[in-house]
Amino acid sequence: MPLIPDEAIPYFENMIYLPMVFTILEKDRKIFEQGPFKLKRPYIAMVEEAAKQVQKELKETHIYMKRYSMKVLRGEGDDMFTEYVFFHGGYEEHRRYLNVRLRNRVEELLTMYLAIVEKLH
């Protein structure tokens, strides 16, 4: 039986993925600002709105994790895997994620947040 409940795992994973998505969006925003684009504003606005959505979900995740005394730390990593340590209710669980899986999931989330922004407009 796992020591950390299944319903807590998405919050732990949000704390892994969402900061990565936010970092990518911020870097992309800078590229749009500095790039040779004729009309920059639509791209910048779309990226900024997606970043706001990510920040909102990240804030909700922080609140949930604080409420339930949860914490995630990045552990060891190599070319293939990155380890994360989940703390919940006095228990500690080590999970290893394939770096390719991390990249693919961040790409999925990035696509999802940009699609949300597209639907809002």
Side-chain angles (χ1 to χ4, degrees):
M1 182 171 124
L3 301 174
I4 295 179
D6 288 339
E7 62 270 7
I9 299 302
Y11 294 97
F12 283 115
E13 290 187 342
N14 274 352
M15 291 304 296
I16 295 170
Y17 296 125
L18 292 181
M20 291 180 193
V21 172
F22 184 75
T23 299
I24 290 167
L25 288 168
E26 284 300 303
K27 286 181 181 179
D28 289 351
R29 184 184 55 79
K30 288 178 185 172
I31 289 169
F32 283 125
E33 286 175 349
Q34 298 168 355
F37 300 94
K38 198 87 156 160
L39 300 170
K40 298 176 182 187
R41 260 188 297 157
Y43 300 110
I44 294 170
M46 188 172 198
V47 170
E48 286 177 344
E49 190 60 40
K52 285 180 189 175
Q53 295 293 324
V54 171
Q55 279 183 313
K56 179 182 171 196
E57 194 163 330
L58 197 52
K59 182 179 179 182
E60 291 169 3
T61 301
H62 273 291
I63 291 168
Y64 181 91
M65 290 188 72
K66 191 170 188 165
R67 181 179 302 138
Y68 292 101
S69 302
M70 297 163 56
K71 186 176 179 182
V72 62
L73 295 176
R74 185 174 182 192
E76 297 293 316
D78 58 30
D79 289 342
M80 292 289 292
F81 293 95
T82 302
E83 179 184 64
Y84 289 92
V85 184
F86 297 167
F87 298 93
H88 184 284
Y91 295 106
E92 175 180 322
E93 184 175 321
H94 295 254
R95 288 186 171 221
R96 292 177 52 160
Y97 289 82
L98 266 171
N99 291 336
V100 172
R101 177 183 175 208
L102 291 170
R103 186 193 72 226
N104 291 342
R105 181 63 180 144
V106 168
E107 189 174 330
E108 288 172 13
L109 289 170
L110 188 57
T111 302
M112 181 190 79
Y113 284 107
L114 291 172
I116 289 171
V117 169
E118 182 67 27
K119 287 180 184 176
L120 291 176
H121 293 290

